Amino acid sequence: MRKTLAVAWREFWATVGTKGFILGVFLPLIIMGGALSLMPILMNKSAPAVTGRIGVIDHSGAVADKLAKAFSPEELKKRTEKRVKRRMEQAGQMNPAMADEKTKRQAEMALQAMYKAPELSVDILGPDTDLDAAKAPIMEVAGKARDAGAAHQRLALAVIPAGAVKAAETGGFTPYEFFIAPKLDPEVQDDIREQISRAVVDARLEAAGLEAASVRSIIEQPRSETRVVTKEGERSSNEVAALLMPMGFMMLLWISVITGGQSLLSSTVEEKGSRIMEVLLSAVSPMQLMVGKIIGQMGVALVILLVYAALGVGSLAAFRQMHMLDPMNLVYLAVFFVLGFFMVASMMAAIGSAVNDIREAQALMGPVMMVLVIPMVLWMPISRNPNSTFAQVCSYLPPINPFIMVVRLAGSEEIPAWQIPISILTALFGAVVSAWFAAKVFRIGVLMYGKPPNFRTLLKWVRMA
Amino acid sequence: MTDAIQIRGVTKTFGPKVAVRNLDLTIPQGSLYGFIGPNGAGKTTTIRMIMSIIFPDKGDLEVLGRTSALDSKDQIGYLPEERGVYRKMRVGAFLNFMGRLKGVDALHLDRIVRDWLDRVGLKDCYRKKCEELSKGMQQKVQFIAAAIHKPQLLILDEPFSGLDPVNRRLLRELIMEQHRAGHTVIFSTHAMFEAEQLCDHLFMIHKGDKVLDLPIGEVWRKYDPRTVIIEPMEALHDVDSSSWASLPGVREVQQGGRGFDLRLTDDADPSAVMEAVTRTTRVRRMEIKRPSLEDIFIDLVGGEAAGLRAELEAEHGATPELTEVARA
């Protein structure tokens, strides 16, 4: 045991103590932190406002004026302010930190910088304008720098048929036609379409003898917030965050396990490649060596898990969303981490011991990785539907079940309690089987040099040992 | 005194190739045993079986009184033929790690490591990374790793390969020191003069078969010297060597680069021959030539001598004596 721990200790420090590891773990954090603090500065330097003109050919005679009014500078400004306000409200719901006045002001400034009012105006073209001639200026815009003589550029063209306002005999309205320049800001596009729709509908209301403004005030419904009722009280539902939770859990588990496994693979290949294996085997048995290495790399994986889990929990606390985190899930995360790591690490140790260099390892790694990315592909459907038959079946399939289970546990539905111990048991079974397999392959593999092995050779070794 | 190693009827095959065939070998405690033989003869296989790294197909062996070396790993030091170091690890840390793996008391371990490094002239390398050392320096570090726990049984597989003469001598001294301390030392080599200089017991293996297993004294007795080397003061062509051929006991006279070799008959008295030669010729150097282990080896494996000679010459330069023996 003492020797096993000595091996583990060396393995741990040889991996964690390298500059590469420290950079690999902390650099993403630094980049993320840096990006977050730079964001407002970058946002202030956002792209210039969209400027240009919108052509309108109005066969109905009732829409063009309304549209021209909707794109007057005052209206444009009003709409932009409204959008900023809505975003602020959304941000306030998502992030209680926004309650702080200073943060709020900063966010508002950032949003205002982001949503610059577009400088648009409307050209009303006569009903007998040739359509192709009207479209030609749009084509000129394509490929040209948008800012050169920007104000004169025609960015869009709307053709309102008479049938758009006056219903046909058979009932129903004709849609308007809409042409735009390529790469027009989607938000601006949406705004133009919305304004055209409004103008058309207003024209219809007026044609029906109704006052558009009063009808609008009747049909407009303020947005209401969804609230989840629980025993602990009500709270606002947060779709996005609820979806991120299972993903966060799975990514934590996956990244830490795979990183630890990969580094076990490369350290085993290195020991074999630099011919240190036999020196080690003069002092320890292959089993002691393998177990020591697995424990050491488990420490490495644990460091990664803890750093990122702390980051996750920390940001939940910062955004006052701790209620989303069930502490029991952290316990399960730890259990499934150990089981999942043992399964993956055993496979990596077996592969590492069997090959002569890292290139040969890649060939054997292919199928293993193919299995291990399954949870990455499945987290979305499973977190949406944690109790589907498919999700349940996957919960009992080592080696992917630890990953599936953390997704299900963090998912939106409660899962039957009895499934948890069963999944743990199947994972345990998987861990024991893969460790047994790895021990056999490892014993033979570590001193085998020469022909690169395939899976059939590995099975032969298992029978031999 | 018990035996350090007992091998009884051990056979090991790799596929169709028989690496070791029905080997019996007993190595007494405290002996300094040389395993010699050309590359691929079965030395490393035998050593790996002793170390329980691979297991025999047939037969059994006992190491330090146990059936497996695994049970007494902490009493065995092993320098494998395939040896490496952790390239990124510092020398001191590496030796401390190896010492811990071998169960050296952690309290004194670091001091032992520093003492050892000092003794092999690597005092300044404690903090260096292993990859910064030359091959010879790495080899010394590996020797320390093998011997750091004062093993009762020290097994060195090709310990001299890749060392310069100074370090060869240093290593010889270190081996002798282990021997004097009463530890059993086994080393393998294909460079036979190393074995000649060091060991007190010889084990020769060729193509998996034991061809010789004797104390070194016995070897010399058995392969009694039968050649006298003469280097005359005068130039070779001025010497009348034809008369020597008629001296009693001389079978044949051969002229070499610097002098003559007198081959004696089996019943000849070398000192009488030498005396007779000095009566007629002024001599700069004269000696009874002991057969080298190479000679003996080639003698033993007989028919395959030609191939072996080529191999040995390729290993460490041509040896003129060897060429002559083979011709004879």
Side-chain angles (χ1 to χ4, degrees), chain A residues 101-376:
Chain A
E101 266 311 309
K102 198 177 145 217
T103 320
K104 203 168 165 181
R105 241 190 347 269
Q106 278 177 352
E108 198 164 357
M109 269 162 63
L111 280 171
Q112 273 163 0
M114 214 160 96
Y115 292 107
K116 270 198 200 123
E119 290 160 28
L120 296 171
S121 55
V122 172
D123 288 332
I124 301 173
L125 309 171
D128 46 356
T129 313
D130 178 47
L131 187 60
D132 287 329
K135 275 193 277 189
I138 299 182
M139 266 177 261
E140 276 169 35
V141 174
K144 238 195 267 172
R146 197 62 55 83
D147 47 10
H152 309 294
Q153 284 170 4
R154 179 167 296 165
L155 298 177
L157 174 68
V159 180
I160 319 288
V165 176
K166 192 166 171 262
E169 310 256 310
T170 52
F173 296 99
T174 321
Y176 61 86
E177 288 177 275
F178 190 46
F179 309 92
I180 56 163
K183 294 178 186 167
L184 181 60
D185 183 342
E187 292 228 12
V188 174
Q189 272 181 51
D190 285 349
D191 186 43
I192 298 174
R193 292 188 77 112
E194 199 190 320
Q195 296 316 316
I196 297 174
S197 300
R198 273 181 93 100
V200 169
V201 171
D202 284 0
R204 284 179 202 161
L205 291 171
E206 274 163 24
L210 297 165
E211 200 191 327
S214 58
V215 173
R216 281 216 180 273
S217 68
I218 292 167
I219 61 172
E220 234 151 61
Q221 169 63 33
R223 243 184 86 88
S224 55
E225 192 194 344
T226 319
R227 299 180 76 78
V228 180
V229 183
T230 64
K231 275 183 203 141
E232 294 87 41
E234 291 177 15
R235 60 171 194 242
S236 39
S237 104
N238 198 327
E239 274 284 324
V240 183
L243 211 58
L244 283 177
M245 209 61 186
M247 190 187 81
F249 267 93
M250 202 207 64
M251 289 301 284
L252 262 182
L253 191 62
W254 203 84
I255 288 178
S256 57
V257 165
I258 298 294
T259 313
Q262 287 275 13
S263 110
L264 178 64
L265 175 77
S266 60
S267 88
T268 311
V269 172
E270 190 215 325
E271 270 159 14
K272 224 185 136 182
S274 63
R275 311 280 154 141
I276 194 164
M277 215 39 122
E278 207 170 334
V279 178
L280 295 177
L281 290 184
S282 72
V284 295
S285 70
M287 196 63 191
Q288 282 172 323
L289 181 63
M290 191 184 93
V291 173
K293 288 173 73 65
I294 290 179
I295 293 175
Q297 292 294 351
M298 182 136 81
V300 173
L302 197 60
V303 167
I304 299 170
L305 183 77
L306 287 179
V307 167
Y308 283 91
L311 184 78
V313 173
S315 39
L316 280 182
F319 291 145
R320 294 178 208 163
Q321 299 283 315
M322 281 301 273
H323 60 82
M324 289 181 59
L325 182 69
D326 183 352
M328 206 46 208
N329 280 352
L330 289 180
V331 176
Y332 288 131
L333 180 69
V335 171
F336 283 115
F337 165 75
V338 173
L339 294 172
F341 184 81
F342 249 90
M343 285 191 264
V344 172
S346 305
M347 287 187 271
M348 299 290 183
I351 291 174
S353 70
V355 299
N356 302 303
D357 56 45
I358 205 88
R359 251 200 352 265
E360 287 175 20
Q362 301 300 346
L364 289 177
M365 281 291 290
V368 174
M369 281 315 277
M370 218 118 88
V371 173
L372 290 178
V373 293
I374 292 175
M376 291 292 252

Side-chain angles (χ1 to χ4, degrees), chain B residues 72-272:
Chain B
S72 36
K73 269 197 161 147
D74 290 350
Q75 278 101 54
I76 304 174
Y78 175 42
L79 178 68
E81 188 186 17
E82 300 279 10
R83 49 193 165 231
V85 287
Y86 284 109
R87 298 194 308 114
K88 298 281 171 201
M89 225 172 159
R90 298 191 191 281
V91 173
F94 174 67
L95 288 174
N96 267 295
F97 171 62
M98 289 309 294
R100 235 181 352 266
L101 285 193
K102 291 172 177 202
V104 180
D105 182 11
L107 201 63
H108 309 293
L109 181 55
D110 195 58
R111 215 197 57 239
I112 297 172
V113 167
R114 286 175 193 273
D115 285 353
W116 263 108
L117 284 174
D118 200 12
R119 275 175 59 199
V120 301
L122 292 177
K123 200 176 177 182
D124 325 327
C125 295
Y126 184 87
R127 290 205 56 77
K128 274 194 186 157
K129 283 191 177 162
C130 289
E131 63 186 351
E132 294 169 41
L133 303 188
S134 71
K135 189 163 178 270
M137 288 156 112
Q138 280 186 14
Q139 199 144 326
K140 287 197 274 186
V141 170
Q142 284 149 348
F143 178 85
I144 299 173
I148 193 163
H149 55 307
K150 302 203 180 86
Q152 282 178 37
L153 172 60
L154 184 61
I155 301 178
L156 311 166
D157 201 349
E158 300 282 355
F160 296 101
S161 70
L163 287 183
D164 62 33
V166 177
N167 282 314
R168 273 166 195 264
R169 175 175 296 174
L170 174 66
L171 184 58
R172 270 204 300 275
E173 278 162 16
L174 292 172
I175 291 175
M176 282 314 289
E177 185 182 294
Q178 295 288 324
H179 178 55
R180 278 194 296 271
H183 302 156
T184 313
V185 182
I186 297 173
F187 70 94
S188 82
T189 179
H190 61 263
M192 303 196 189
F193 55 91
E194 300 288 1
E196 252 179 280
Q197 286 170 318
L198 260 177
C199 56
D200 60 12
H201 251 86
L202 262 188
F203 165 63
M204 263 191 202
I205 186 167
H206 178 57
K207 292 197 168 167
D209 291 313
K210 177 164 88 172
V211 291
L212 183 79
D213 177 19
L214 287 173
I216 199 88
E218 292 275 324
V219 174
W220 298 142
R221 242 193 315 285
K222 194 166 171 189
Y223 298 89
D224 202 20
R226 294 262 68 90
T227 303
V228 171
I229 302 172
I230 296 161
E231 269 182 44
M233 297 286 270
E234 283 86 19
L236 293 189
H237 50 86
D238 294 337
V239 176
D240 173 26
S241 60
S242 55
S243 63
W244 297 340
S246 55
L247 289 172
V250 175
R251 186 159 52 90
E252 192 187 359
V253 178
Q254 281 182 334
Q255 187 175 336
R258 285 191 212 144
F260 301 89
D261 285 4
L262 304 193
R263 304 272 150 157
L264 308 186
T265 54
D266 285 348
D267 52 355
D269 175 7
S271 48

